[in-house]
Amino acid sequence: MAELGLNEHHQNEVINYMRFARSKRGLRLKTVDSCFQDLKESRLVEETFTMDEVAEVLNGLQAVVHSEVESELINTAYTNVLLLRQLFTQAEKWYLKLQTDISELENRELLEQVAEFEKAEFTSSNKKPIIDITKPKLVPLNEGGTTELLNKEILRLQEENEKLKSRLKTIEMQATNALDEKSKLERALQDLQLNQGNQQDFIKAQDLSDLENTVAALKSEFQKTINDKTENQKSLEENLVTAKHDLLRVQEQLSMAEKELEKKFQQTAAYRNMKEILTKKNDQIKDLRKRLAKYESED
């Protein structure tokens, strides 16, 4: 027996459709036959006809047969559309997209195969009893086979979708927390830099004030030494020694201050500025030493 390459269920569906098509085709053929029979009974009552009468009869028959054939072809096309609609509706319920190859509808080999299948199924010698499997409409099967696989795949995709949504939400929360933490760290860094700058300014001002006070005291002492010519040389030498000690102490303080500033202000503009100030102060001290040496030589 000819086969169409379908499973038993689908092949039975094809047989039912072919049975329906054969029934419709038989009715239309009977209608065409009745058109000719009516013509014979109504018009062919005379023994002879003129050429015009024959043409009129044939034209009338042509119009009737054309109308019947056209009606049948249109009805067949609409019926096929409804059948495709049932199949596509059933597929869409399971998120499937079916495709058709229109060129295969004119494949002579396949058409002959269908003809052989119809002949094998509907000839009188091999005619099978009609099985009543009428259904109100196509519905998805509820168990087994492809339907079960589709159900499992849909459930898996839904679970995967939920997992992805949960993961995305977690990532968004982590990103938000990271941004908040970054903002906090930036504010803390700004506060630290501000406090460090204030502290550096305070240390610089204090060191400069001490240095200025020391230099002012030395100047005052030198001026007093110059004005007081009545003091003896020993007192002047002691004052000079004291002044030298003070200078050494100031230098030591300046050295310590430079080291401390190098730790706190390294790689900063404030460090370079302080270093320039200290260099100028050292130059001033050197100048004071020269002046002291000059005063000693004059005495």
Side-chain angles (χ1 to χ4, degrees):
M1 184 180 67
E3 297 290 340
L4 298 179
L6 303 174
N7 60 33
E8 182 179 1
H9 173 78
H10 289 159
Q11 187 158 300
N12 288 332
E13 292 292 331
V14 171
I15 292 172
N16 288 334
Y17 176 73
M18 295 182 72
R19 183 177 292 111
F20 166 77
R22 283 170 62 88
S23 174
K24 298 292 290 183
R25 187 170 64 216
L27 291 176
R28 288 301 176 184
L29 289 176
K30 289 181 180 181
T31 302
V32 173
D33 292 339
S34 65
C35 292
F36 283 88
Q37 186 63 33
D38 291 341
L39 177 64
K40 291 177 181 180
E41 295 177 354
S42 63
R43 300 298 301 271
L44 301 181
V45 294
E46 300 179 4
E47 294 181 357
T48 59
F49 294 90
T50 64
M51 184 181 294
D52 293 337
E53 290 175 340
V54 173
E56 180 184 356
V57 170
L58 291 177
N59 289 335
L61 180 61
Q62 180 186 7
V64 174
V65 173
H66 181 276
S67 177
E68 290 293 336
V69 173
E70 182 182 23
S71 176
E72 175 60 17
L73 292 175
I74 293 174
N75 186 70
T76 301
Y78 292 168
T79 302
N80 290 335
V81 170
L82 292 178
L83 181 62
L84 290 173
R85 179 179 179 274
Q86 292 181 27
L87 296 175
F88 292 155
T89 301
Q90 184 182 23
E92 288 175 0
K93 288 182 179 179
W94 297 106
Y95 307 100
L96 299 177
K97 293 182 178 180
L98 303 183
Q99 292 182 342
T100 59
D101 188 353
I102 303 299
S103 63
E104 291 294 320
L105 299 180
E106 296 182 352
N107 189 319
R108 299 304 306 175
E109 182 179 354
L110 294 179
L111 291 174
E112 291 175 0
Q113 183 178 350
V114 173
E116 292 178 3
F117 177 77
E118 181 183 18
K119 183 178 180 181
E121 289 293 330
F122 294 99
T123 54
S124 59
S125 59
N126 296 326
K127 190 173 182 180
K128 297 181 181 179
I130 298 175
I131 302 175
D132 186 11
I133 54 174
T134 304
K135 298 179 181 179
K137 61 178 180 178
L138 290 176
V139 295
L141 298 178
N142 293 325
E143 58 183 0
T146 306
T147 301
E148 184 177 357
L149 293 176
L150 288 174
N151 284 328
K152 290 181 179 180
E153 181 66 13
I154 290 172
L155 291 176
R156 185 188 68 80
L157 291 175
Q158 289 177 345
E159 292 177 357
E160 184 176 353
N161 189 33
E162 292 298 328
K163 290 180 180 179
L164 290 175
K165 287 182 179 179
S166 177
R167 183 179 179 185
L168 178 61
K169 186 176 181 180
T170 302
I171 292 174
E172 289 177 349
M173 293 178 62
Q174 292 176 352
T176 301
N177 294 335
L179 290 174
D180 294 340
E181 187 67 21
K182 179 183 177 182
S183 300
K184 292 180 181 179
L185 292 175
E186 288 178 349
R187 288 195 296 270
L189 179 61
Q190 291 176 356
D191 295 339
L192 181 61
Q193 291 175 347
L194 181 61
N195 293 334
Q196 184 178 6
N198 295 333
Q199 185 178 6
Q200 291 174 354
D201 293 339
F202 175 76
I203 293 173
K204 181 174 69 174
Q206 186 177 8
D207 291 341
L208 289 175
S209 178
D210 293 341
L211 183 60
E212 289 175 354
N213 293 335
T214 302
V215 174
L218 289 174
K219 287 182 178 180
S220 177
E221 184 68 22
F222 294 155
Q223 187 68 33
K224 182 179 180 181
T225 301
I226 294 172
N227 295 331
D228 191 6
K229 294 182 181 288
T230 59
E231 294 182 356
N232 53 31
Q233 186 67 28
K234 185 177 179 180
S235 178
L236 181 59
E237 290 177 354
E238 291 177 355
N239 291 333
L240 290 174
V241 170
T242 301
K244 289 180 179 180
H245 288 170
D246 291 336
L247 287 173
L248 292 174
R249 180 173 58 82
V250 171
Q251 289 177 347
E252 183 178 359
Q253 289 178 353
L254 289 174
S255 177
M256 292 178 65
E258 288 177 354
K259 292 180 180 180
E260 186 66 19
L261 289 174
E262 286 179 354
K263 292 181 180 179
K264 294 181 179 180
F265 309 125
Q266 193 173 9
Q267 304 300 329
T268 63
Y271 170 77
R272 292 191 294 270
N273 294 334
M274 175 58 74
K275 190 172 182 180
E276 292 177 359
I277 294 173
L278 292 176
T279 302
K280 292 179 180 180
K281 295 301 180 181
N282 286 332
D283 294 336
Q284 292 177 358
I285 292 173
K286 289 179 182 180
D287 183 65
L288 291 174
R289 286 181 179 176
K290 290 180 181 180
R291 292 171 63 182
L292 287 172
K294 181 178 179 180
Y295 294 149
E296 290 178 354
S297 61
E298 289 178 357
D299 292 339

